[in-house]
Amino acid sequence: MTDLPGRRLLLVHAHPDDESINNGATMAKYAAEGALVTLVTCTLGEEGEVIPPGLAHLAADRDDALGGHRVGELAAAMKELGVTDHRFLGGAGRYRDSGMMGAPQNERPHCFWRADVDEAAAYLVEVIREVRPQVLVTYDPHGGYGHPDHVQAHRVAMRAVELAAEKAFRRDLGEPHEIAKVYWNCVPRSVAEEGFARLREAAAAGAAVPFPGVAALDDVPGVVPDEEVTAAPRTAPYVAAKAAAMRAHATQVVVDGHFFALSNELSQPLFADEFYRLVRGRAGGPGREDDLFAGLGLPGPDFTGPDGGAGGAGAGAGEGAC
Ligand SMILES: CC(=O)N[C@H]1[C@@H](O[C@@H]2[C@H](O)[C@H](O)[C@@H](O)[C@H](O)[C@H]2O)O[C@H](CO)[C@@H](O)[C@@H]1O
Ligand SMILES: [Zn+2]
């Protein structure tokens, strides 16, 4: 890639939908500010459940056409976020969705869970050396909630960060590149607790509870003690874009105001603020960073919105912000 934008963010995710659920507002914010936002998704989500009854035929145990359908859902979600650079690791279909931990699909030869980490990381090194991001975001070692593809996405991403910088590694994949800052997705426990408190208050007030059940707080991926959170970029103005992107993943997610549910029909808070833990590189100052690019001496946003913060296509008071 030539003439790269000044600020470049790379996100590594397991399935189509994870990017919107975990980082949708962050992606919309930085895309609106003129940064290059690149998403690499490791599988097509072929083994997912299907929420809309009319699409049930897509499921792996019927037409096995869900992967192709979710490619389209991801493209629609990226349009909502203003993200134009999204790729599949090794090309669409190179690695198949492994199913939930312990499922028989974990044993399939070309599922992502059984991938050789170095081989998969080499595909990501090629992207890193092309895009040359200053910041990378992925899951913690538990993959947020223990899904095998999430755990493997973490392993492949962290291995690729190392290999991309190695001068002796595969120069055919491009010039070495050191990513300055690596973050893992997380949610401060106090924010998760407040989100579920809102849900209980709504139910107690007789509001129609959006979904039949309520998830457990620890079902929220990546909940950590507040003090472990090191960055909270100002993403709340982009919650509407996040909600729209999540809705685009219609086989996997249903959004209702402040809340959403996956195919398990358990309500979870839809967070407007998104949080991160810096695990590699230097923080941009004391306390929580309010910008993932802080401390890198890069030009700021290409423009600022009327609120003096970052404005842009995705900005606007979200219909529901937790
Ligand atoms: C958010 C996420 O990672 N979704 C994955 C997950 O989907 C869950 C799975 O089907 C589970 O059985 C359901 O109870 C839950 O509601 C789903 O979110 O695992 C799928 C299979 O690997 C994957 O396709 C989906 O993207
Ligand atoms: Zn996932």
Side-chain angles (χ1 to χ4, degrees):
M1 273 184 151
T2 55
D3 299 333
L4 291 169
R7 300 187 302 163
R8 302 181 297 278
L9 168 64
L10 172 62
L11 301 103
V12 182
H13 275 293
H15 313 106
D17 73 6
D18 293 311
E19 81 295 328
S20 297
I21 295 168
N22 289 281
N23 312 110
T26 300
M27 296 170 76
K29 165 190 166 63
Y30 285 114
E33 293 178 356
L36 174 63
V37 178
T38 299
L39 168 68
V40 173
T41 304
C42 298
T43 78
L44 305 186
E46 300 92 332
E47 296 295 335
E49 295 179 350
V50 179
I51 296 172
L55 297 177
H57 63 89
L58 295 171
D61 59 359
R62 292 187 52 187
D63 298 351
D64 194 17
L66 184 57
H69 185 85
R70 290 180 74 175
V71 170
E73 291 185 337
L74 180 59
M78 292 304 97
K79 278 203 175 71
E80 297 292 351
L81 301 179
V83 171
T84 55
D85 186 13
H86 51 98
R87 316 169 188 213
F88 291 99
L89 186 68
R94 173 66 182 81
Y95 296 106
R96 185 176 172 100
D97 184 336
S98 308
M100 296 293 271
M101 189 61 85
Q105 295 92 325
N106 297 181
E107 304 310 318
R108 274 208 171 111
H110 70 291
C111 75
F112 189 46
W113 181 232
R114 294 172 62 84
D116 175 89
V117 170
D118 278 13
E119 179 188 68
Y123 288 121
L124 191 53
V125 166
E126 187 168 14
V127 177
I128 291 170
R129 289 180 172 178
E130 175 198 337
V131 167
R132 313 190 77 76
Q134 297 96 352
V135 176
L136 181 143
V137 165
T138 193
Y139 310 106
D140 63 36
H142 185 53
Y145 73 96
H147 189 293
D149 292 334
H150 287 224
V151 172
Q152 191 76 318
H154 162 86
R155 292 172 180 172
V156 168
M158 299 308 289
R159 182 64 175 142
V161 168
E162 294 170 358
L163 293 174
E166 274 185 28
K167 291 182 173 50
F169 181 74
R170 298 286 305 275
R171 297 296 285 266
D172 60 304
L173 297 179
E175 286 304 299
H177 177 71
E178 172 97 38
I179 297 177
K181 300 171 87 176
V182 176
Y183 292 91
W184 293 344
N185 297 313
C186 64
V187 177
R189 180 164 290 274
S190 66
V191 169
E193 287 169 347
E194 186 192 344
F196 281 97
R198 282 170 179 264
L199 190 58
R200 288 192 296 273
E201 285 157 18
V209 177
F211 304 102
V214 179
L217 187 141
D218 287 325
D219 287 339
V220 175
V223 173
V224 297
D226 286 27
E227 57 273 19
E228 291 185 16
V229 177
T230 69
R234 292 193 298 265
T235 62
Y238 296 87
V239 69
K242 172 176 185 172
M246 290 172 67
R247 281 199 184 87
H249 292 285
T251 58
Q252 305 301 308
V253 187
V254 177
V255 174
D256 183 331
H258 299 258
F259 304 98
F260 74 96
L262 302 170
S263 58
N264 56 15
E265 296 190 302
L266 299 177
S267 302
Q268 293 187 48
L270 196 165
F271 298 118
D273 295 307
E274 295 171 347
F275 302 89
Y276 300 88
R277 295 162 63 188
L278 182 66
V279 294
R280 185 181 170 116
R282 192 176 320 135
R288 274 185 190 173
E289 300 171 299
D290 65 0
D291 178 8
L292 300 182
F293 293 94
L296 298 178
L298 297 172
D302 291 350
F303 62 92
T304 53
D307 62 356
E319 63 195 54
C322 277

